[in-house]
Amino acid sequence: MQNLGMSMLWFWICYILVTIVGILHTVFNIYVLHMKPMDSSFMGEGYERAKPWHPLYNILLFSLFGYLYMNGLEQPLLAEALATGAVWAGICILFDVFGWVLIKHPWSLSFRAFYIDYQPWITLIYLAIFLGPIIGYWFAR
């Protein structure tokens, strides 16, 4: 990678931002739209209704941050965009195992809930993260 430090900076800012947006959407659904919150056996209507929007947040934000990274390179190359997309998606896949499945918190999910019940959304999210730098490259060149 041409600039691993900048790539990681843009990645982590985007990852945190997209996570906050997703959480705020669920909170909005529960408190403003009065959808049912989670309980001990169900993530709740507020979360379920937000899930189809998650890939959209990811494609928009990761494309923007992919553009910021690629535009900051002296010579952006498609190979760099592909490598960056692969690294970003790979980090997300690994980090999500810990952040959403293994580390227990009120919104953590089981392996089944995250990798099977969250289909097709989780696959589309990872695809969006991979494509973000590539889309960013097309805008930066």
PDB file of all heavy atoms in Angstrom, residues 108-138:
ATOM      1  N   SER A 108     -24.623  -7.121  21.193  1.00  0.00           N
ATOM      2  CA  SER A 108     -23.858  -8.189  20.551  1.00  0.00           C
ATOM      3  C   SER A 108     -24.807  -9.272  20.040  1.00  0.00           C
ATOM      4  O   SER A 108     -25.922  -9.423  20.519  1.00  0.00           O
ATOM      5  CB  SER A 108     -22.821  -8.772  21.514  1.00  0.00           C
ATOM      6  OG  SER A 108     -23.442  -9.381  22.617  1.00  0.00           O
ATOM      7  N   LEU A 109     -24.330 -10.002  19.054  1.00  0.00           N
ATOM      8  CA  LEU A 109     -25.134 -11.025  18.400  1.00  0.00           C
ATOM      9  C   LEU A 109     -24.411 -12.365  18.462  1.00  0.00           C
ATOM     10  O   LEU A 109     -23.196 -12.414  18.634  1.00  0.00           O
ATOM     11  CB  LEU A 109     -25.357 -10.646  16.926  1.00  0.00           C
ATOM     12  CG  LEU A 109     -26.087  -9.330  16.665  1.00  0.00           C
ATOM     13  CD1 LEU A 109     -25.912  -8.902  15.217  1.00  0.00           C
ATOM     14  CD2 LEU A 109     -27.553  -9.463  17.010  1.00  0.00           C
ATOM     15  N   SER A 110     -25.139 -13.429  18.291  1.00  0.00           N
ATOM     16  CA  SER A 110     -24.525 -14.744  18.171  1.00  0.00           C
ATOM     17  C   SER A 110     -23.910 -14.864  16.774  1.00  0.00           C
ATOM     18  O   SER A 110     -24.208 -14.058  15.888  1.00  0.00           O
ATOM     19  CB  SER A 110     -25.580 -15.831  18.369  1.00  0.00           C
ATOM     20  OG  SER A 110     -26.500 -15.807  17.280  1.00  0.00           O
ATOM     21  N   PHE A 111     -23.079 -15.891  16.572  1.00  0.00           N
ATOM     22  CA  PHE A 111     -22.531 -16.133  15.229  1.00  0.00           C
ATOM     23  C   PHE A 111     -23.669 -16.302  14.226  1.00  0.00           C
ATOM     24  O   PHE A 111     -23.623 -15.753  13.134  1.00  0.00           O
ATOM     25  CB  PHE A 111     -21.638 -17.384  15.215  1.00  0.00           C
ATOM     26  CG  PHE A 111     -20.239 -17.134  15.701  1.00  0.00           C
ATOM     27  CD1 PHE A 111     -19.879 -17.441  17.002  1.00  0.00           C
ATOM     28  CD2 PHE A 111     -19.279 -16.591  14.856  1.00  0.00           C
ATOM     29  CE1 PHE A 111     -18.590 -17.209  17.449  1.00  0.00           C
ATOM     30  CE2 PHE A 111     -17.989 -16.369  15.294  1.00  0.00           C
ATOM     31  CZ  PHE A 111     -17.642 -16.676  16.600  1.00  0.00           C
ATOM     32  N   ARG A 112     -24.674 -17.069  14.603  1.00  0.00           N
ATOM     33  CA  ARG A 112     -25.809 -17.316  13.702  1.00  0.00           C
ATOM     34  C   ARG A 112     -26.535 -16.016  13.369  1.00  0.00           C
ATOM     35  O   ARG A 112     -26.838 -15.750  12.208  1.00  0.00           O
ATOM     36  CB  ARG A 112     -26.778 -18.322  14.311  1.00  0.00           C
ATOM     37  CG  ARG A 112     -27.987 -18.538  13.426  1.00  0.00           C
ATOM     38  CD  ARG A 112     -28.950 -19.604  13.949  1.00  0.00           C
ATOM     39  NE  ARG A 112     -30.130 -19.667  13.133  1.00  0.00           N
ATOM     40  CZ  ARG A 112     -30.205 -20.184  11.917  1.00  0.00           C
ATOM     41  NH1 ARG A 112     -29.134 -20.692  11.359  1.00  0.00           N
ATOM     42  NH2 ARG A 112     -31.334 -20.197  11.240  1.00  0.00           N
ATOM     43  N   ALA A 113     -26.803 -15.210  14.379  1.00  0.00           N
ATOM     44  CA  ALA A 113     -27.531 -13.959  14.154  1.00  0.00           C
ATOM     45  C   ALA A 113     -26.735 -13.015  13.256  1.00  0.00           C
ATOM     46  O   ALA A 113     -27.311 -12.330  12.413  1.00  0.00           O
ATOM     47  CB  ALA A 113     -27.858 -13.281  15.479  1.00  0.00           C
ATOM     48  N   PHE A 114     -25.409 -12.997  13.432  1.00  0.00           N
ATOM     49  CA  PHE A 114     -24.598 -12.047  12.670  1.00  0.00           C
ATOM     50  C   PHE A 114     -24.285 -12.533  11.263  1.00  0.00           C
ATOM     51  O   PHE A 114     -24.304 -11.747  10.315  1.00  0.00           O
ATOM     52  CB  PHE A 114     -23.298 -11.739  13.417  1.00  0.00           C
ATOM     53  CG  PHE A 114     -22.608 -10.506  12.911  1.00  0.00           C
ATOM     54  CD1 PHE A 114     -23.112  -9.250  13.182  1.00  0.00           C
ATOM     55  CD2 PHE A 114     -21.451 -10.599  12.159  1.00  0.00           C
ATOM     56  CE1 PHE A 114     -22.474  -8.102  12.712  1.00  0.00           C
ATOM     57  CE2 PHE A 114     -20.806  -9.461  11.689  1.00  0.00           C
ATOM     58  CZ  PHE A 114     -21.328  -8.209  11.964  1.00  0.00           C
ATOM     59  N   TYR A 115     -23.984 -13.807  11.110  1.00  0.00           N
ATOM     60  CA  TYR A 115     -23.524 -14.285   9.814  1.00  0.00           C
ATOM     61  C   TYR A 115     -24.583 -15.012   8.985  1.00  0.00           C
ATOM     62  O   TYR A 115     -24.388 -15.180   7.782  1.00  0.00           O
ATOM     63  CB  TYR A 115     -22.291 -15.179   9.992  1.00  0.00           C
ATOM     64  CG  TYR A 115     -21.132 -14.388  10.524  1.00  0.00           C
ATOM     65  CD1 TYR A 115     -20.758 -14.467  11.855  1.00  0.00           C
ATOM     66  CD2 TYR A 115     -20.452 -13.506   9.709  1.00  0.00           C
ATOM     67  CE1 TYR A 115     -19.707 -13.712  12.353  1.00  0.00           C
ATOM     68  CE2 TYR A 115     -19.400 -12.735  10.196  1.00  0.00           C
ATOM     69  CZ  TYR A 115     -19.038 -12.849  11.514  1.00  0.00           C
ATOM     70  OH  TYR A 115     -18.017 -12.084  12.004  1.00  0.00           O
ATOM     71  N   ILE A 116     -25.689 -15.405   9.590  1.00  0.00           N
ATOM     72  CA  ILE A 116     -26.748 -16.091   8.834  1.00  0.00           C
ATOM     73  C   ILE A 116     -28.015 -15.250   8.814  1.00  0.00           C
ATOM     74  O   ILE A 116     -28.532 -14.926   7.749  1.00  0.00           O
ATOM     75  CB  ILE A 116     -27.007 -17.494   9.422  1.00  0.00           C
ATOM     76  CG1 ILE A 116     -25.713 -18.249   9.406  1.00  0.00           C
ATOM     77  CG2 ILE A 116     -28.183 -18.172   8.726  1.00  0.00           C
ATOM     78  CD1 ILE A 116     -25.628 -19.667   9.222  1.00  0.00           C
ATOM     79  N   ASP A 117     -28.502 -14.885   9.996  1.00  0.00           N
ATOM     80  CA  ASP A 117     -29.757 -14.134  10.067  1.00  0.00           C
ATOM     81  C   ASP A 117     -29.620 -12.719   9.516  1.00  0.00           C
ATOM     82  O   ASP A 117     -30.608 -12.116   9.118  1.00  0.00           O
ATOM     83  CB  ASP A 117     -30.274 -14.081  11.509  1.00  0.00           C
ATOM     84  CG  ASP A 117     -30.582 -15.462  12.060  1.00  0.00           C
ATOM     85  OD1 ASP A 117     -30.756 -16.399  11.248  1.00  0.00           O
ATOM     86  OD2 ASP A 117     -30.639 -15.601  13.297  1.00  0.00           O
ATOM     87  N   TYR A 118     -28.415 -12.180   9.489  1.00  0.00           N
ATOM     88  CA  TYR A 118     -28.161 -10.814   9.009  1.00  0.00           C
ATOM     89  C   TYR A 118     -27.922 -10.784   7.500  1.00  0.00           C
ATOM     90  O   TYR A 118     -27.541  -9.773   6.940  1.00  0.00           O
ATOM     91  CB  TYR A 118     -26.970 -10.257   9.788  1.00  0.00           C
ATOM     92  CG  TYR A 118     -26.705  -8.773   9.720  1.00  0.00           C
ATOM     93  CD1 TYR A 118     -27.677  -7.851   9.351  1.00  0.00           C
ATOM     94  CD2 TYR A 118     -25.458  -8.285  10.051  1.00  0.00           C
ATOM     95  CE1 TYR A 118     -27.402  -6.492   9.292  1.00  0.00           C
ATOM     96  CE2 TYR A 118     -25.166  -6.929  10.011  1.00  0.00           C
ATOM     97  CZ  TYR A 118     -26.139  -6.046   9.629  1.00  0.00           C
ATOM     98  OH  TYR A 118     -25.854  -4.697   9.583  1.00  0.00           O
ATOM     99  N   GLN A 119     -28.186 -11.911   6.820  1.00  0.00           N
ATOM    100  CA  GLN A 119     -28.064 -11.967   5.360  1.00  0.00           C
ATOM    101  C   GLN A 119     -29.310 -11.358   4.729  1.00  0.00           C
ATOM    102  O   GLN A 119     -30.385 -11.470   5.292  1.00  0.00           O
ATOM    103  CB  GLN A 119     -27.898 -13.411   4.887  1.00  0.00           C
ATOM    104  CG  GLN A 119     -26.582 -14.049   5.283  1.00  0.00           C
ATOM    105  CD  GLN A 119     -25.379 -13.370   4.663  1.00  0.00           C
ATOM    106  OE1 GLN A 119     -25.451 -12.674   3.654  1.00  0.00           O
ATOM    107  NE2 GLN A 119     -24.236 -13.559   5.297  1.00  0.00           N
ATOM    108  N   PRO A 120     -29.215 -10.723   3.603  1.00  0.00           N
ATOM    109  CA  PRO A 120     -28.013 -10.525   2.784  1.00  0.00           C
ATOM    110  C   PRO A 120     -27.222  -9.298   3.207  1.00  0.00           C
ATOM    111  O   PRO A 120     -26.228  -8.959   2.576  1.00  0.00           O
ATOM    112  CB  PRO A 120     -28.594 -10.328   1.387  1.00  0.00           C
ATOM    113  CG  PRO A 120     -29.866  -9.577   1.631  1.00  0.00           C
ATOM    114  CD  PRO A 120     -30.404 -10.174   2.933  1.00  0.00           C
ATOM    115  N   TRP A 121     -27.677  -8.618   4.248  1.00  0.00           N
ATOM    116  CA  TRP A 121     -27.122  -7.302   4.596  1.00  0.00           C
ATOM    117  C   TRP A 121     -25.644  -7.343   4.913  1.00  0.00           C
ATOM    118  O   TRP A 121     -24.885  -6.490   4.440  1.00  0.00           O
ATOM    119  CB  TRP A 121     -27.919  -6.668   5.737  1.00  0.00           C
ATOM    120  CG  TRP A 121     -29.383  -6.805   5.502  1.00  0.00           C
ATOM    121  CD1 TRP A 121     -30.294  -7.438   6.307  1.00  0.00           C
ATOM    122  CD2 TRP A 121     -30.142  -6.340   4.367  1.00  0.00           C
ATOM    123  NE1 TRP A 121     -31.542  -7.400   5.739  1.00  0.00           N
ATOM    124  CE2 TRP A 121     -31.481  -6.732   4.549  1.00  0.00           C
ATOM    125  CE3 TRP A 121     -29.815  -5.651   3.207  1.00  0.00           C
ATOM    126  CZ2 TRP A 121     -32.477  -6.444   3.635  1.00  0.00           C
ATOM    127  CZ3 TRP A 121     -30.807  -5.365   2.292  1.00  0.00           C
ATOM    128  CH2 TRP A 121     -32.118  -5.755   2.507  1.00  0.00           C
ATOM    129  N   ILE A 122     -25.178  -8.320   5.706  1.00  0.00           N
ATOM    130  CA  ILE A 122     -23.764  -8.338   6.082  1.00  0.00           C
ATOM    131  C   ILE A 122     -22.873  -8.584   4.867  1.00  0.00           C
ATOM    132  O   ILE A 122     -21.819  -7.962   4.731  1.00  0.00           O
ATOM    133  CB  ILE A 122     -23.486  -9.351   7.228  1.00  0.00           C
ATOM    134  CG1 ILE A 122     -22.088  -9.137   7.802  1.00  0.00           C
ATOM    135  CG2 ILE A 122     -23.698 -10.775   6.800  1.00  0.00           C
ATOM    136  CD1 ILE A 122     -21.856  -7.794   8.451  1.00  0.00           C
ATOM    137  N   THR A 123     -23.315  -9.434   3.957  1.00  0.00           N
ATOM    138  CA  THR A 123     -22.543  -9.652   2.729  1.00  0.00           C
ATOM    139  C   THR A 123     -22.489  -8.384   1.893  1.00  0.00           C
ATOM    140  O   THR A 123     -21.431  -8.012   1.370  1.00  0.00           O
ATOM    141  CB  THR A 123     -23.146 -10.816   1.918  1.00  0.00           C
ATOM    142  OG1 THR A 123     -23.091 -11.996   2.728  1.00  0.00           O
ATOM    143  CG2 THR A 123     -22.392 -11.042   0.613  1.00  0.00           C
ATOM    144  N   LEU A 124     -23.611  -7.696   1.768  1.00  0.00           N
ATOM    145  CA  LEU A 124     -23.649  -6.437   1.013  1.00  0.00           C
ATOM    146  C   LEU A 124     -22.792  -5.365   1.677  1.00  0.00           C
ATOM    147  O   LEU A 124     -22.152  -4.564   1.002  1.00  0.00           O
ATOM    148  CB  LEU A 124     -25.091  -5.955   0.853  1.00  0.00           C
ATOM    149  CG  LEU A 124     -25.966  -6.832  -0.041  1.00  0.00           C
ATOM    150  CD1 LEU A 124     -27.418  -6.360   0.014  1.00  0.00           C
ATOM    151  CD2 LEU A 124     -25.445  -6.855  -1.469  1.00  0.00           C
ATOM    152  N   ILE A 125     -22.757  -5.359   2.996  1.00  0.00           N
ATOM    153  CA  ILE A 125     -21.909  -4.404   3.725  1.00  0.00           C
ATOM    154  C   ILE A 125     -20.436  -4.669   3.408  1.00  0.00           C
ATOM    155  O   ILE A 125     -19.688  -3.735   3.081  1.00  0.00           O
ATOM    156  CB  ILE A 125     -22.169  -4.488   5.244  1.00  0.00           C
ATOM    157  CG1 ILE A 125     -23.535  -3.860   5.564  1.00  0.00           C
ATOM    158  CG2 ILE A 125     -21.052  -3.837   6.046  1.00  0.00           C
ATOM    159  CD1 ILE A 125     -24.036  -4.166   6.957  1.00  0.00           C
ATOM    160  N   TYR A 126     -20.006  -5.917   3.493  1.00  0.00           N
ATOM    161  CA  TYR A 126     -18.606  -6.228   3.209  1.00  0.00           C
ATOM    162  C   TYR A 126     -18.260  -5.940   1.752  1.00  0.00           C
ATOM    163  O   TYR A 126     -17.160  -5.467   1.455  1.00  0.00           O
ATOM    164  CB  TYR A 126     -18.269  -7.664   3.598  1.00  0.00           C
ATOM    165  CG  TYR A 126     -18.299  -7.901   5.100  1.00  0.00           C
ATOM    166  CD1 TYR A 126     -18.726  -9.105   5.624  1.00  0.00           C
ATOM    167  CD2 TYR A 126     -17.903  -6.919   5.995  1.00  0.00           C
ATOM    168  CE1 TYR A 126     -18.751  -9.324   6.999  1.00  0.00           C
ATOM    169  CE2 TYR A 126     -17.927  -7.121   7.359  1.00  0.00           C
ATOM    170  CZ  TYR A 126     -18.357  -8.329   7.857  1.00  0.00           C
ATOM    171  OH  TYR A 126     -18.384  -8.537   9.215  1.00  0.00           O
ATOM    172  N   LEU A 127     -19.177  -6.188   0.860  1.00  0.00           N
ATOM    173  CA  LEU A 127     -18.964  -5.852  -0.552  1.00  0.00           C
ATOM    174  C   LEU A 127     -18.836  -4.335  -0.715  1.00  0.00           C
ATOM    175  O   LEU A 127     -17.963  -3.847  -1.430  1.00  0.00           O
ATOM    176  CB  LEU A 127     -20.106  -6.395  -1.410  1.00  0.00           C
ATOM    177  CG  LEU A 127     -20.008  -6.118  -2.905  1.00  0.00           C
ATOM    178  CD1 LEU A 127     -18.747  -6.732  -3.501  1.00  0.00           C
ATOM    179  CD2 LEU A 127     -21.257  -6.639  -3.612  1.00  0.00           C
ATOM    180  N   ALA A 128     -19.691  -3.571  -0.036  1.00  0.00           N
ATOM    181  CA  ALA A 128     -19.635  -2.107  -0.098  1.00  0.00           C
ATOM    182  C   ALA A 128     -18.304  -1.584   0.429  1.00  0.00           C
ATOM    183  O   ALA A 128     -17.717  -0.659  -0.150  1.00  0.00           O
ATOM    184  CB  ALA A 128     -20.797  -1.498   0.697  1.00  0.00           C
ATOM    185  N   ILE A 129     -17.816  -2.172   1.514  1.00  0.00           N
ATOM    186  CA  ILE A 129     -16.532  -1.748   2.085  1.00  0.00           C
ATOM    187  C   ILE A 129     -15.400  -2.039   1.102  1.00  0.00           C
ATOM    188  O   ILE A 129     -14.523  -1.195   0.885  1.00  0.00           O
ATOM    189  CB  ILE A 129     -16.304  -2.420   3.452  1.00  0.00           C
ATOM    190  CG1 ILE A 129     -17.334  -1.881   4.448  1.00  0.00           C
ATOM    191  CG2 ILE A 129     -14.876  -2.202   3.946  1.00  0.00           C
ATOM    192  CD1 ILE A 129     -17.464  -2.698   5.717  1.00  0.00           C
ATOM    193  N   PHE A 130     -15.432  -3.211   0.481  1.00  0.00           N
ATOM    194  CA  PHE A 130     -14.422  -3.546  -0.529  1.00  0.00           C
ATOM    195  C   PHE A 130     -14.484  -2.567  -1.703  1.00  0.00           C
ATOM    196  O   PHE A 130     -13.454  -2.113  -2.201  1.00  0.00           O
ATOM    197  CB  PHE A 130     -14.619  -4.984  -1.021  1.00  0.00           C
ATOM    198  CG  PHE A 130     -13.752  -5.320  -2.199  1.00  0.00           C
ATOM    199  CD1 PHE A 130     -12.385  -5.520  -2.042  1.00  0.00           C
ATOM    200  CD2 PHE A 130     -14.285  -5.420  -3.473  1.00  0.00           C
ATOM    201  CE1 PHE A 130     -11.573  -5.818  -3.133  1.00  0.00           C
ATOM    202  CE2 PHE A 130     -13.489  -5.710  -4.570  1.00  0.00           C
ATOM    203  CZ  PHE A 130     -12.124  -5.909  -4.396  1.00  0.00           C
ATOM    204  N   LEU A 131     -15.691  -2.238  -2.152  1.00  0.00           N
ATOM    205  CA  LEU A 131     -15.849  -1.366  -3.318  1.00  0.00           C
ATOM    206  C   LEU A 131     -15.573   0.110  -3.017  1.00  0.00           C
ATOM    207  O   LEU A 131     -15.291   0.882  -3.934  1.00  0.00           O
ATOM    208  CB  LEU A 131     -17.254  -1.511  -3.893  1.00  0.00           C
ATOM    209  CG  LEU A 131     -17.571  -2.849  -4.547  1.00  0.00           C
ATOM    210  CD1 LEU A 131     -19.035  -2.904  -4.952  1.00  0.00           C
ATOM    211  CD2 LEU A 131     -16.661  -3.100  -5.734  1.00  0.00           C
ATOM    212  N   GLY A 132     -15.634   0.516  -1.750  1.00  0.00           N
ATOM    213  CA  GLY A 132     -15.450   1.923  -1.390  1.00  0.00           C
ATOM    214  C   GLY A 132     -14.209   2.557  -1.977  1.00  0.00           C
ATOM    215  O   GLY A 132     -14.288   3.578  -2.670  1.00  0.00           O
ATOM    216  N   PRO A 133     -13.010   1.991  -1.760  1.00  0.00           N
ATOM    217  CA  PRO A 133     -11.806   2.591  -2.349  1.00  0.00           C
ATOM    218  C   PRO A 133     -11.790   2.539  -3.875  1.00  0.00           C
ATOM    219  O   PRO A 133     -11.223   3.416  -4.523  1.00  0.00           O
ATOM    220  CB  PRO A 133     -10.667   1.749  -1.760  1.00  0.00           C
ATOM    221  CG  PRO A 133     -11.228   1.171  -0.512  1.00  0.00           C
ATOM    222  CD  PRO A 133     -12.689   0.936  -0.805  1.00  0.00           C
ATOM    223  N   ILE A 134     -12.427   1.534  -4.445  1.00  0.00           N
ATOM    224  CA  ILE A 134     -12.460   1.418  -5.908  1.00  0.00           C
ATOM    225  C   ILE A 134     -13.340   2.524  -6.488  1.00  0.00           C
ATOM    226  O   ILE A 134     -12.958   3.197  -7.452  1.00  0.00           O
ATOM    227  CB  ILE A 134     -12.957   0.018  -6.324  1.00  0.00           C
ATOM    228  CG1 ILE A 134     -11.972  -1.042  -5.798  1.00  0.00           C
ATOM    229  CG2 ILE A 134     -13.126  -0.083  -7.833  1.00  0.00           C
ATOM    230  CD1 ILE A 134     -12.514  -2.448  -5.759  1.00  0.00           C
ATOM    231  N   ILE A 135     -14.491   2.745  -5.874  1.00  0.00           N
ATOM    232  CA  ILE A 135     -15.357   3.857  -6.299  1.00  0.00           C
ATOM    233  C   ILE A 135     -14.633   5.179  -6.073  1.00  0.00           C
ATOM    234  O   ILE A 135     -14.653   6.072  -6.925  1.00  0.00           O
ATOM    235  CB  ILE A 135     -16.709   3.801  -5.575  1.00  0.00           C
ATOM    236  CG1 ILE A 135     -17.483   2.555  -6.020  1.00  0.00           C
ATOM    237  CG2 ILE A 135     -17.519   5.075  -5.824  1.00  0.00           C
ATOM    238  CD1 ILE A 135     -18.691   2.237  -5.171  1.00  0.00           C
ATOM    239  N   GLY A 136     -13.975   5.295  -4.914  1.00  0.00           N
ATOM    240  CA  GLY A 136     -13.192   6.494  -4.630  1.00  0.00           C
ATOM    241  C   GLY A 136     -12.118   6.743  -5.663  1.00  0.00           C
ATOM    242  O   GLY A 136     -11.868   7.879  -6.064  1.00  0.00           O
ATOM    243  N   TYR A 137     -11.481   5.671  -6.117  1.00  0.00           N
ATOM    244  CA  TYR A 137     -10.455   5.778  -7.155  1.00  0.00           C
ATOM    245  C   TYR A 137     -11.046   6.382  -8.426  1.00  0.00           C
ATOM    246  O   TYR A 137     -10.428   7.252  -9.042  1.00  0.00           O
ATOM    247  CB  TYR A 137      -9.861   4.391  -7.436  1.00  0.00           C
ATOM    248  CG  TYR A 137      -9.120   4.303  -8.742  1.00  0.00           C
ATOM    249  CD1 TYR A 137      -7.821   4.799  -8.848  1.00  0.00           C
ATOM    250  CD2 TYR A 137      -9.701   3.721  -9.861  1.00  0.00           C
ATOM    251  CE1 TYR A 137      -7.134   4.715 -10.057  1.00  0.00           C
ATOM    252  CE2 TYR A 137      -9.031   3.636 -11.059  1.00  0.00           C
ATOM    253  CZ  TYR A 137      -7.754   4.143 -11.155  1.00  0.00           C
ATOM    254  OH  TYR A 137      -7.068   4.073 -12.348  1.00  0.00           O
ATOM    255  N   TRP A 138     -12.212   5.928  -8.836  1.00  0.00           N
ATOM    256  CA  TRP A 138     -12.812   6.424 -10.081  1.00  0.00           C
ATOM    257  C   TRP A 138     -13.114   7.912 -10.001  1.00  0.00           C
ATOM    258  O   TRP A 138     -13.014   8.627 -10.994  1.00  0.00           O
ATOM    259  CB  TRP A 138     -14.061   5.625 -10.454  1.00  0.00           C
ATOM    260  CG  TRP A 138     -13.719   4.220 -10.864  1.00  0.00           C
ATOM    261  CD1 TRP A 138     -14.003   3.083 -10.166  1.00  0.00           C
ATOM    262  CD2 TRP A 138     -12.975   3.816 -12.007  1.00  0.00           C
ATOM    263  NE1 TRP A 138     -13.488   1.988 -10.823  1.00  0.00           N
ATOM    264  CE2 TRP A 138     -12.855   2.404 -11.968  1.00  0.00           C
ATOM    265  CE3 TRP A 138     -12.398   4.489 -13.082  1.00  0.00           C
ATOM    266  CZ2 TRP A 138     -12.186   1.664 -12.946  1.00  0.00           C
ATOM    267  CZ3 TRP A 138     -11.736   3.749 -14.059  1.00  0.00           C
ATOM    268  CH2 TRP A 138     -11.640   2.369 -13.981  1.00  0.00           C
TER     269      TRP A 138
END
